[in-house]
Amino acid sequence: MNLARGLERRLENLADGASASLFRGEMHPIDIATRLVRQVDFLAIETAVGPEVPNDLVLRLNPADINDSLDRGELSRELANVVTETAAERGWRLVGPVSIQIVTSHAVPRGILEAEGVTSTASTQPWGQLIADDGSAILVISLNRTLLGRSLDSDIRIANQEVSRRHVIIYRQEGSTMIHDLGSSNGTFVNGARLTNTAVRLNAGDSVMLGDLSFTYRPLF
């Protein structure tokens, strides 16, 4: 897993600027993060809008595998950042902020990391907007793999007959924002071009039409 340099540096320094020698026989924070991402990948389920991973996670380790000098609260926060950033990189859907509880147990074999989790719906930090060109609405995008449509179970519901029940999804993957039409009746258009069954990149300032509703895409960071 390629962690962002700043995040990797913070993981390396969780134990007072720890060098690798302090972790002989124990898991280094980067090793824990790498194994956690692998476990979360195993926990992914396929949904109508793509892969979804749990955001409320419990991480279990043997006590001998974690250095006593680590601040577990800080480690939990940094591991949550790893999962959040990996979700944006791989296109995983998260329905709420990531939280991680670290539990140690002698029942877990040495060198093994176990993870389990559930999905807990809660508000998340917005990362994009669709701004109606007529000034009538601002659609705030906060979930990765956000479903837009007329259906009541849409992440962003648009009560307009020109919009299909499940019209389109917008998500982040590999550093880009992507938009994917779900076979809508009246189509999704980006800069005037109708989408087919292939996701396309969405850039700042792009025009997006859902049926006859016109928006401009604005990333928030």
Side-chain angles (χ1 to χ4, degrees):
M1 180 184 64
N2 294 319
L3 300 175
R5 287 190 176 182
L7 184 58
E8 185 173 4
R9 187 160 51 248
R10 296 199 304 272
L11 286 167
E12 289 177 338
N13 292 330
L14 280 177
D16 300 321
S19 65
S21 62
L22 287 181
F23 293 91
R24 288 175 181 166
E26 300 165 333
M27 291 189 194
H28 190 280
I30 292 178
D31 188 29
I32 293 173
T34 302
R35 295 182 186 214
L36 173 61
V37 167
R38 191 177 303 123
Q39 290 293 314
V40 172
D41 193 17
F42 291 149
L43 295 173
I45 61 171
E46 196 64 33
T47 72
V49 293
E52 179 178 292
V53 298
N55 61 299
D56 192 353
L57 295 156
V58 176
L59 178 63
R60 291 187 173 86
L61 295 164
N62 188 287
D65 281 332
I66 187 165
N67 192 287
D68 289 338
S69 66
L70 286 174
D71 181 329
R72 294 195 187 183
E74 188 176 355
L75 177 60
S76 294
R77 289 188 290 273
E78 293 296 354
L79 292 175
N81 289 336
V82 170
V83 175
T84 301
E85 291 190 5
T86 303
E89 179 66 18
R90 299 191 182 181
W92 292 340
R93 176 176 165 89
L94 288 166
V95 299
V98 177
S99 66
I100 294 177
Q101 178 185 3
I102 298 174
V103 176
T104 54
S105 170
H106 289 285
V108 181
R110 287 287 309 273
I112 298 296
L113 181 149
E114 298 177 351
E116 61 183 9
V118 296
T119 55
S120 300
T121 303
S123 60
T124 57
Q125 181 181 7
W127 54 269
Q129 294 176 334
L130 288 178
I131 303 172
D133 290 348
D134 63 3
S136 62
I138 297 177
L139 306 182
V140 178
I141 303 166
S142 56
L143 300 181
N144 205 23
R145 307 198 83 86
T146 291
L147 170 64
L148 295 85
R150 202 176 72 249
S151 172
L152 290 174
D153 64 358
S154 298
D155 299 312
I156 297 178
R157 183 169 184 257
I158 304 173
N160 185 295
Q161 291 301 314
E162 295 297 314
V163 175
S164 295
R165 290 177 56 80
R166 291 176 172 246
H167 196 103
V168 71
I169 59 172
I170 297 177
Y171 60 98
R172 294 175 295 173
Q173 186 169 333
E174 297 180 356
S176 298
T177 298
M178 308 297 292
I179 183 168
H180 186 191
D181 183 82
L182 298 176
S184 62
S185 298
N186 294 314
T188 300
F189 299 79
V190 175
N191 298 328
R194 182 165 184 162
L195 303 189
T196 57
N197 60 353
T198 302
V200 302
R201 181 178 298 176
L202 197 57
N203 299 304
D206 279 351
S207 170
V208 178
M209 288 194 68
L210 309 178
D212 62 355
L213 303 179
S214 181
F215 301 88
T216 298
Y217 173 64
R218 177 193 176 199
L220 296 181
F221 59 83

Tab-separated table of all heavy atoms in Angstrom, residues 147-185:
chain	number	residue	atom	x	y	z
A	147	LEU	N	-24.815	8.045	-4.394
A	147	LEU	CA	-25.886	7.739	-5.337
A	147	LEU	C	-26.845	8.924	-5.419
A	147	LEU	O	-27.366	9.382	-4.400
A	147	LEU	CB	-26.644	6.489	-4.885
A	147	LEU	CG	-27.946	6.162	-5.632
A	147	LEU	CD1	-27.672	5.837	-7.100
A	147	LEU	CD2	-28.668	4.997	-4.952
A	148	LEU	N	-27.071	9.403	-6.650
A	148	LEU	CA	-28.036	10.468	-6.880
A	148	LEU	C	-29.193	9.903	-7.690
A	148	LEU	O	-28.980	9.175	-8.668
A	148	LEU	CB	-27.410	11.639	-7.650
A	148	LEU	CG	-26.296	12.420	-6.950
A	148	LEU	CD1	-24.945	11.755	-7.157
A	148	LEU	CD2	-26.248	13.862	-7.463
A	149	GLY	N	-30.403	10.250	-7.277
A	149	GLY	CA	-31.563	9.754	-7.996
A	149	GLY	C	-32.868	10.185	-7.350
A	149	GLY	O	-32.873	10.903	-6.345
A	150	ARG	N	-33.963	9.719	-7.917
A	150	ARG	CA	-35.299	10.076	-7.424
A	150	ARG	C	-35.761	9.159	-6.301
A	150	ARG	O	-36.689	9.489	-5.558
A	150	ARG	CB	-36.288	10.027	-8.590
A	150	ARG	CG	-37.544	10.855	-8.379
A	150	ARG	CD	-38.441	10.857	-9.600
A	150	ARG	NE	-39.107	9.582	-9.790
A	150	ARG	CZ	-38.862	8.725	-10.776
A	150	ARG	NH1	-37.922	9.012	-11.673
A	150	ARG	NH2	-39.521	7.591	-10.886
A	151	SER	N	-35.107	8.005	-6.153
A	151	SER	CA	-35.514	7.028	-5.147
A	151	SER	C	-35.304	7.568	-3.736
A	151	SER	O	-34.369	8.333	-3.472
A	151	SER	CB	-34.709	5.740	-5.324
A	151	SER	OG	-34.946	4.849	-4.259
A	152	LEU	N	-36.158	7.122	-2.811
A	152	LEU	CA	-36.046	7.548	-1.422
A	152	LEU	C	-34.758	7.064	-0.774
A	152	LEU	O	-34.296	7.656	0.203
A	152	LEU	CB	-37.256	7.039	-0.613
A	152	LEU	CG	-38.596	7.705	-0.933
A	152	LEU	CD1	-39.721	7.006	-0.173
A	152	LEU	CD2	-38.572	9.188	-0.597
A	153	ASP	N	-34.172	5.973	-1.278
A	153	ASP	CA	-32.944	5.457	-0.674
A	153	ASP	C	-31.679	6.024	-1.326
A	153	ASP	O	-30.571	5.580	-1.038
A	153	ASP	CB	-32.910	3.928	-0.707
A	153	ASP	CG	-32.885	3.355	-2.121
A	153	ASP	OD1	-32.925	4.129	-3.101
A	153	ASP	OD2	-32.829	2.119	-2.249
A	154	SER	N	-31.820	7.028	-2.170
A	154	SER	CA	-30.651	7.691	-2.758
A	154	SER	C	-29.910	8.483	-1.682
A	154	SER	O	-30.520	8.992	-0.739
A	154	SER	CB	-31.070	8.639	-3.887
A	154	SER	OG	-31.697	7.934	-4.942
A	155	ASP	N	-28.604	8.589	-1.827
A	155	ASP	CA	-27.838	9.425	-0.905
A	155	ASP	C	-28.200	10.897	-1.090
A	155	ASP	O	-28.263	11.661	-0.117
A	155	ASP	CB	-26.338	9.221	-1.125
A	155	ASP	CG	-25.912	7.780	-0.884
A	155	ASP	OD1	-26.311	7.219	0.155
A	155	ASP	OD2	-25.194	7.234	-1.740
A	156	ILE	N	-28.394	11.296	-2.332
A	156	ILE	CA	-28.903	12.634	-2.645
A	156	ILE	C	-30.160	12.443	-3.490
A	156	ILE	O	-30.086	11.971	-4.622
A	156	ILE	CB	-27.866	13.477	-3.412
A	156	ILE	CG1	-26.619	13.712	-2.555
A	156	ILE	CG2	-28.476	14.817	-3.833
A	156	ILE	CD1	-25.524	14.486	-3.261
A	157	ARG	N	-31.291	12.777	-2.905
A	157	ARG	CA	-32.565	12.570	-3.610
A	157	ARG	C	-32.923	13.812	-4.406
A	157	ARG	O	-32.876	14.941	-3.886
A	157	ARG	CB	-33.691	12.248	-2.634
A	157	ARG	CG	-35.013	11.951	-3.345
A	157	ARG	CD	-36.052	11.378	-2.414
A	157	ARG	NE	-37.236	11.030	-3.159
A	157	ARG	CZ	-38.362	11.757	-3.168
A	157	ARG	NH1	-38.447	12.864	-2.453
A	157	ARG	NH2	-39.400	11.374	-3.885
A	158	ILE	N	-33.262	13.609	-5.679
A	158	ILE	CA	-33.672	14.701	-6.563
A	158	ILE	C	-35.098	14.402	-7.000
A	158	ILE	O	-35.346	13.486	-7.799
A	158	ILE	CB	-32.738	14.814	-7.782
A	158	ILE	CG1	-31.279	14.980	-7.320
A	158	ILE	CG2	-33.153	15.975	-8.669
A	158	ILE	CD1	-30.276	14.943	-8.452
A	159	ALA	N	-36.046	15.143	-6.458
A	159	ALA	CA	-37.474	14.884	-6.717
A	159	ALA	C	-37.897	15.552	-8.016
A	159	ALA	O	-38.579	16.578	-8.019
A	159	ALA	CB	-38.307	15.386	-5.538
A	160	ASN	N	-37.478	14.960	-9.116
A	160	ASN	CA	-37.792	15.478	-10.435
A	160	ASN	C	-38.024	14.295	-11.361
A	160	ASN	O	-37.226	13.360	-11.400
A	160	ASN	CB	-36.637	16.356	-10.944
A	160	ASN	CG	-36.936	17.026	-12.262
A	160	ASN	OD1	-37.106	16.366	-13.284
A	160	ASN	ND2	-37.009	18.358	-12.250
A	161	GLN	N	-39.110	14.328	-12.108
A	161	GLN	CA	-39.479	13.195	-12.956
A	161	GLN	C	-38.495	12.946	-14.087
A	161	GLN	O	-38.462	11.851	-14.660
A	161	GLN	CB	-40.900	13.408	-13.528
A	161	GLN	CG	-42.005	13.315	-12.491
A	161	GLN	CD	-42.022	11.959	-11.803
A	161	GLN	OE1	-41.940	10.907	-12.447
A	161	GLN	NE2	-42.123	11.979	-10.481
A	162	GLU	N	-37.675	13.917	-14.412
A	162	GLU	CA	-36.671	13.719	-15.452
A	162	GLU	C	-35.474	12.912	-14.950
A	162	GLU	O	-34.650	12.453	-15.741
A	162	GLU	CB	-36.175	15.077	-15.966
A	162	GLU	CG	-37.232	15.913	-16.673
A	162	GLU	CD	-37.734	15.229	-17.932
A	162	GLU	OE1	-36.900	14.733	-18.707
A	162	GLU	OE2	-38.959	15.188	-18.136
A	163	VAL	N	-35.386	12.750	-13.645
A	163	VAL	CA	-34.289	12.019	-13.018
A	163	VAL	C	-34.752	10.614	-12.690
A	163	VAL	O	-35.831	10.410	-12.127
A	163	VAL	CB	-33.820	12.741	-11.734
A	163	VAL	CG1	-32.765	11.935	-11.008
A	163	VAL	CG2	-33.295	14.128	-12.078
A	164	SER	N	-33.956	9.608	-13.039
A	164	SER	CA	-34.308	8.214	-12.760
A	164	SER	C	-34.179	7.922	-11.270
A	164	SER	O	-33.533	8.650	-10.515
A	164	SER	CB	-33.404	7.272	-13.547
A	164	SER	OG	-33.618	7.414	-14.935
A	165	ARG	N	-34.806	6.812	-10.867
A	165	ARG	CA	-34.764	6.445	-9.452
A	165	ARG	C	-33.328	6.252	-8.982
A	165	ARG	O	-32.947	6.694	-7.905
A	165	ARG	CB	-35.582	5.160	-9.220
A	165	ARG	CG	-37.082	5.355	-9.364
A	165	ARG	CD	-37.840	4.045	-9.208
A	165	ARG	NE	-37.541	3.398	-7.931
A	165	ARG	CZ	-38.103	3.760	-6.774
A	165	ARG	NH1	-38.967	4.753	-6.721
A	165	ARG	NH2	-37.783	3.116	-5.659
A	166	ARG	N	-32.539	5.560	-9.752
A	166	ARG	CA	-31.102	5.434	-9.507
A	166	ARG	C	-30.415	5.968	-10.750
A	166	ARG	O	-30.252	5.249	-11.731
A	166	ARG	CB	-30.714	3.981	-9.226
A	166	ARG	CG	-31.252	3.470	-7.898
A	166	ARG	CD	-30.934	1.991	-7.686
A	166	ARG	NE	-31.293	1.596	-6.341
A	166	ARG	CZ	-30.440	1.210	-5.399
A	166	ARG	NH1	-29.156	1.159	-5.675
A	166	ARG	NH2	-30.852	0.887	-4.196
A	167	HIS	N	-30.004	7.210	-10.683
A	167	HIS	CA	-29.585	7.897	-11.899
A	167	HIS	C	-28.083	7.814	-12.146
A	167	HIS	O	-27.634	7.407	-13.219
A	167	HIS	CB	-30.020	9.371	-11.816
A	167	HIS	CG	-30.002	10.080	-13.129
A	167	HIS	ND1	-31.155	10.356	-13.851
A	167	HIS	CD2	-28.966	10.562	-13.872
A	167	HIS	CE1	-30.824	10.980	-14.979
A	167	HIS	NE2	-29.502	11.120	-15.013
A	168	VAL	N	-27.284	8.162	-11.126
A	168	VAL	CA	-25.848	8.295	-11.349
A	168	VAL	C	-25.115	8.145	-10.024
A	168	VAL	O	-25.690	8.381	-8.948
A	168	VAL	CB	-25.543	9.680	-11.992
A	168	VAL	CG1	-25.733	10.801	-10.994
A	168	VAL	CG2	-24.158	9.736	-12.605
A	169	ILE	N	-23.853	7.722	-10.069
A	169	ILE	CA	-23.004	7.751	-8.875
A	169	ILE	C	-21.783	8.620	-9.158
A	169	ILE	O	-21.295	8.693	-10.292
A	169	ILE	CB	-22.562	6.340	-8.415
A	169	ILE	CG1	-21.783	5.611	-9.498
A	169	ILE	CG2	-23.730	5.527	-7.911
A	169	ILE	CD1	-21.172	4.311	-9.011
A	170	ILE	N	-21.323	9.277	-8.096
A	170	ILE	CA	-20.112	10.096	-8.153
A	170	ILE	C	-19.191	9.596	-7.059
A	170	ILE	O	-19.624	9.387	-5.923
A	170	ILE	CB	-20.435	11.586	-7.964
A	170	ILE	CG1	-21.324	12.085	-9.111
A	170	ILE	CG2	-19.153	12.415	-7.905
A	170	ILE	CD1	-21.761	13.531	-8.968
A	171	TYR	N	-17.919	9.371	-7.412
A	171	TYR	CA	-16.996	8.811	-6.430
A	171	TYR	C	-15.567	9.246	-6.725
A	171	TYR	O	-15.255	9.758	-7.802
A	171	TYR	CB	-17.081	7.283	-6.415
A	171	TYR	CG	-16.759	6.592	-7.724
A	171	TYR	CD1	-15.496	6.064	-7.959
A	171	TYR	CD2	-17.730	6.460	-8.722
A	171	TYR	CE1	-15.200	5.418	-9.154
A	171	TYR	CE2	-17.449	5.816	-9.915
A	171	TYR	CZ	-16.185	5.304	-10.129
A	171	TYR	OH	-15.894	4.676	-11.318
A	172	ARG	N	-14.702	9.042	-5.720
A	172	ARG	CA	-13.282	9.336	-5.864
A	172	ARG	C	-12.514	8.025	-5.991
A	172	ARG	O	-12.796	7.060	-5.285
A	172	ARG	CB	-12.764	10.114	-4.661
A	172	ARG	CG	-13.357	11.495	-4.521
A	172	ARG	CD	-12.901	12.172	-3.252
A	172	ARG	NE	-13.395	11.463	-2.071
A	172	ARG	CZ	-13.045	11.760	-0.830
A	172	ARG	NH1	-12.179	12.728	-0.598
A	172	ARG	NH2	-13.557	11.083	0.184
A	173	GLN	N	-11.547	8.015	-6.884
A	173	GLN	CA	-10.709	6.831	-7.080
A	173	GLN	C	-9.413	7.244	-7.750
A	173	GLN	O	-9.427	8.007	-8.730
A	173	GLN	CB	-11.436	5.779	-7.932
A	173	GLN	CG	-10.689	4.464	-8.055
A	173	GLN	CD	-11.558	3.368	-8.676
A	173	GLN	OE1	-12.772	3.388	-8.570
A	173	GLN	NE2	-10.930	2.427	-9.331
A	174	GLU	N	-8.285	6.767	-7.182
A	174	GLU	CA	-6.950	7.004	-7.747
A	174	GLU	C	-6.696	8.481	-8.005
A	174	GLU	O	-6.124	8.872	-9.025
A	174	GLU	CB	-6.770	6.186	-9.029
A	174	GLU	CG	-6.842	4.681	-8.785
A	174	GLU	CD	-6.658	3.865	-10.055
A	174	GLU	OE1	-6.550	4.472	-11.143
A	174	GLU	OE2	-6.613	2.632	-9.944
A	175	GLY	N	-7.117	9.333	-7.065
A	175	GLY	CA	-6.843	10.754	-7.163
A	175	GLY	C	-7.775	11.532	-8.073
A	175	GLY	O	-7.572	12.732	-8.264
A	176	SER	N	-8.778	10.892	-8.630
A	176	SER	CA	-9.705	11.564	-9.536
A	176	SER	C	-11.138	11.438	-9.026
A	176	SER	O	-11.465	10.522	-8.270
A	176	SER	CB	-9.632	10.954	-10.946
A	176	SER	OG	-8.351	11.115	-11.506
A	177	THR	N	-11.976	12.365	-9.450
A	177	THR	CA	-13.420	12.251	-9.228
A	177	THR	C	-14.029	11.645	-10.479
A	177	THR	O	-13.755	12.094	-11.594
A	177	THR	CB	-14.051	13.626	-8.949
A	177	THR	OG1	-13.479	14.173	-7.766
A	177	THR	CG2	-15.549	13.489	-8.753
A	178	MET	N	-14.859	10.618	-10.264
A	178	MET	CA	-15.458	9.899	-11.384
A	178	MET	C	-16.978	10.001	-11.310
A	178	MET	O	-17.560	10.111	-10.223
A	178	MET	CB	-15.039	8.426	-11.353
A	178	MET	CG	-13.540	8.185	-11.246
A	178	MET	SD	-12.606	8.823	-12.652
A	178	MET	CE	-13.175	7.725	-13.970
A	179	ILE	N	-17.617	9.963	-12.470
A	179	ILE	CA	-19.074	9.962	-12.542
A	179	ILE	C	-19.515	8.826	-13.456
A	179	ILE	O	-18.907	8.605	-14.514
A	179	ILE	CB	-19.605	11.334	-13.027
A	179	ILE	CG1	-21.142	11.350	-13.018
A	179	ILE	CG2	-19.041	11.720	-14.385
A	179	ILE	CD1	-21.726	12.746	-13.191
A	180	HIS	N	-20.538	8.086	-13.034
A	180	HIS	CA	-20.959	6.883	-13.744
A	180	HIS	C	-22.480	6.851	-13.828
A	180	HIS	O	-23.162	6.763	-12.797
A	180	HIS	CB	-20.436	5.641	-13.017
A	180	HIS	CG	-20.692	4.360	-13.751
A	180	HIS	ND1	-20.506	3.134	-13.180
A	180	HIS	CD2	-21.127	4.102	-15.021
A	180	HIS	CE1	-20.813	2.176	-14.040
A	180	HIS	NE2	-21.190	2.748	-15.168
A	181	ASP	N	-23.011	6.941	-15.029
A	181	ASP	CA	-24.454	6.840	-15.236
A	181	ASP	C	-24.907	5.398	-15.019
A	181	ASP	O	-24.223	4.450	-15.427
A	181	ASP	CB	-24.814	7.287	-16.653
A	181	ASP	CG	-26.311	7.278	-16.900
A	181	ASP	OD1	-26.969	8.265	-16.513
A	181	ASP	OD2	-26.807	6.286	-17.464
A	182	LEU	N	-26.049	5.229	-14.372
A	182	LEU	CA	-26.548	3.890	-14.033
A	182	LEU	C	-27.655	3.428	-14.978
A	182	LEU	O	-28.566	2.708	-14.579
A	182	LEU	CB	-27.058	3.878	-12.584
A	182	LEU	CG	-26.008	4.187	-11.513
A	182	LEU	CD1	-26.644	4.236	-10.129
A	182	LEU	CD2	-24.884	3.153	-11.546
A	183	GLY	N	-27.565	3.834	-16.230
A	183	GLY	CA	-28.586	3.443	-17.198
A	183	GLY	C	-29.840	4.282	-17.081
A	183	GLY	O	-30.955	3.793	-17.319
A	184	SER	N	-29.683	5.541	-16.731
A	184	SER	CA	-30.827	6.430	-16.534
A	184	SER	C	-31.602	6.633	-17.831
A	184	SER	O	-31.037	6.582	-18.930
A	184	SER	CB	-30.353	7.783	-16.002
A	184	SER	OG	-29.486	8.408	-16.935
A	185	SER	N	-32.905	6.883	-17.691
A	185	SER	CA	-33.765	7.022	-18.868
A	185	SER	C	-33.418	8.257	-19.695
A	185	SER	O	-33.359	8.198	-20.933
A	185	SER	CB	-35.237	7.089	-18.438
A	185	SER	OG	-35.624	5.901	-17.788
